[in-house]
Amino acid sequence: MNLSFSIRSLLIITSTLLIIGCQKNDNWTPLFNGKNFDGWEIKVKGFDLNHNYRDTYSIEDGVIKVSYDKYDSFDDKDGNIFYTRKKFKNYHLKLEYKFYGDHVRNADWSYRNSGVMLHSENPNKIFKDQGVPVSIEAQFLGGLEYRADGVKTTLNMCSPGTDVDIDGEIALNHCMRSKSKIYPINEWVGIEIIVYNDSIVHHIIENDTVMTYTNIRYANDEYYSENFKDMIGEPLSEGFIALQSEGHPVKFRNIMIKELD
């Protein structure tokens, strides 16, 4: 039997079962109430938990807004806002994002770059100078013009402190590209993500599955693994959900989740 064919077949079957499961349950739960940050906690690199440095995160017209209007300079102040009312394991997540404004970080890779962190570690245990949680990132990139790094896709996968398999083999790079197109700045982009514990994750945009990966686990990563030295190679099957601030203004809205059996 051809191994790669078997893996592809398994992914297709699993995807179908997951989608059927979603269709049987229409109970979408909003994670953000549009009014305040109840249920959310903010962590900006270099500051204590819930120190919202210079109002990096704010609410405007029912939308979570990441802005740097009050910054003098970015200085690697990576941040995340975490939904901490519960961990999630098997779920269907959907949200919309929109890039706007000007890039403020002195780094080409962060140009119109943000994302949603899946299976994230607990923000209460993140080190003060840690900018990114151990997690899986569904990466958002924006803008139709040429990027300095040549990447022209969105809803990619990055793996801070984690490993995943793609087509049955370990992902070779920290960030792996989807097969999506990229979208203009100042335009809302709707995305969906289906997660089944440590087994399989699907990235979906415009009803098209643009990326699938499997076997999510803790990695041997010196930068991220201090809290997880005894768990390297072990499955990463649940965690929190977080939204990034990486140096380009971005907005998030309609953040909804449907838990799966």
Side-chain angles (χ1 to χ4, degrees):
M1 181 181 291
N2 184 288
L3 180 59
S4 61
F5 175 79
S6 300
I7 292 169
R8 287 196 300 270
S9 300
L10 176 61
L11 293 179
I12 291 170
I13 292 169
T14 306
S15 301
T16 303
L17 291 174
L18 284 171
I19 292 170
I20 290 171
C22 290
Q23 289 173 342
K24 288 182 179 179
N25 176 10
D26 290 327
N27 297 321
W28 288 99
T29 300
L31 297 185
F32 173 58
N33 63 23
K35 300 176 182 179
N36 54 51
F37 286 135
D38 284 355
W40 295 82
E41 297 191 67
I42 295 168
K43 178 64 181 73
V44 177
K45 182 179 178 180
F47 299 92
D48 292 333
L49 185 65
N50 290 319
H51 181 140
N52 187 11
Y53 177 75
R54 301 204 173 187
D55 296 326
T56 303
Y57 291 91
S58 62
I59 298 169
E60 180 181 273
D61 299 326
V63 169
I64 294 178
K65 180 181 178 182
V66 174
S67 66
Y68 306 100
D69 296 344
K70 298 180 182 180
Y71 278 49
D72 295 324
S73 60
F74 188 80
D75 295 330
D76 295 330
K77 294 184 181 70
D78 300 82
N80 284 273
I81 183 168
F82 297 79
Y83 184 80
T84 54
R85 282 197 170 144
K86 67 178 299 184
K87 291 181 179 180
F88 294 101
K89 187 170 187 176
N90 305 311
Y91 58 92
H92 186 170
L93 174 71
K94 63 181 180 181
L95 60 88
E96 295 175 88
Y97 71 89
K98 177 171 71 172
F99 290 103
Y100 72 99
D102 296 323
H103 183 228
V104 301
R105 187 174 193 160
N106 186 23
D108 290 340
W109 60 265
S110 61
Y111 178 71
R112 294 178 186 173
N113 187 339
S114 186
V116 56
M117 317 306 281
L118 315 170
H119 283 0
S120 171
E121 66 178 301
N122 190 329
N124 287 279
K125 297 182 179 180
I126 289 176
F127 298 110
K128 187 172 183 177
D129 290 327
Q130 181 179 342
V132 181
V134 170
S135 57
I136 296 291
E137 178 189 352
Q139 182 194 55
F140 307 150
L141 299 179
L144 291 177
E145 68 274 24
Y146 177 79
R147 290 177 52 88
D149 57 12
V151 179
K152 298 181 180 180
T153 58
T154 191
L155 209 52
N156 306 302
M157 186 286 303
C158 298
S159 52
T162 52
D163 282 325
V164 305
D165 291 345
I166 297 178
D167 293 332
E169 297 182 355
I170 187 171
L172 297 177
N173 301 314
H174 168 63
C175 290
M176 301 292 291
R177 307 308 174 196
S178 77
K179 65 181 183 67
S180 80
K181 66 180 182 180
I182 208 163
Y183 294 81
I185 193 171
N186 297 315
E187 176 179 306
W188 286 107
V189 182
I191 64 97
E192 299 179 54
I193 302 168
I194 295 176
V195 181
Y196 190 71
N197 57 71
D198 63 292
S199 300
I200 192 166
V201 178
H202 300 288
H203 292 187
I204 302 165
I205 194 164
E206 294 186 345
N207 297 315
D208 182 22
T209 300
V210 297
M211 183 161 222
T212 294
Y213 45 95
T214 61
N215 193 18
I216 300 103
R217 56 203 185 274
Y218 292 97
N220 186 6
D221 186 321
E222 292 183 1
Y223 182 77
Y224 296 104
S225 299
E226 186 65 29
N227 278 334
F228 304 97
K229 288 180 178 179
D230 297 332
M231 301 179 69
I232 293 170
E234 294 295 316
L236 175 56
S237 59
E238 65 179 4
F240 298 98
I241 289 171
L243 303 170
Q244 277 192 328
S245 55
E246 279 198 310
H248 198 110
V250 61
K251 297 178 180 180
F252 305 98
R253 71 178 186 185
N254 296 331
I255 308 162
M256 309 284 286
I257 199 163
K258 181 192 297 183
E259 295 192 74
L260 308 175
D261 295 333

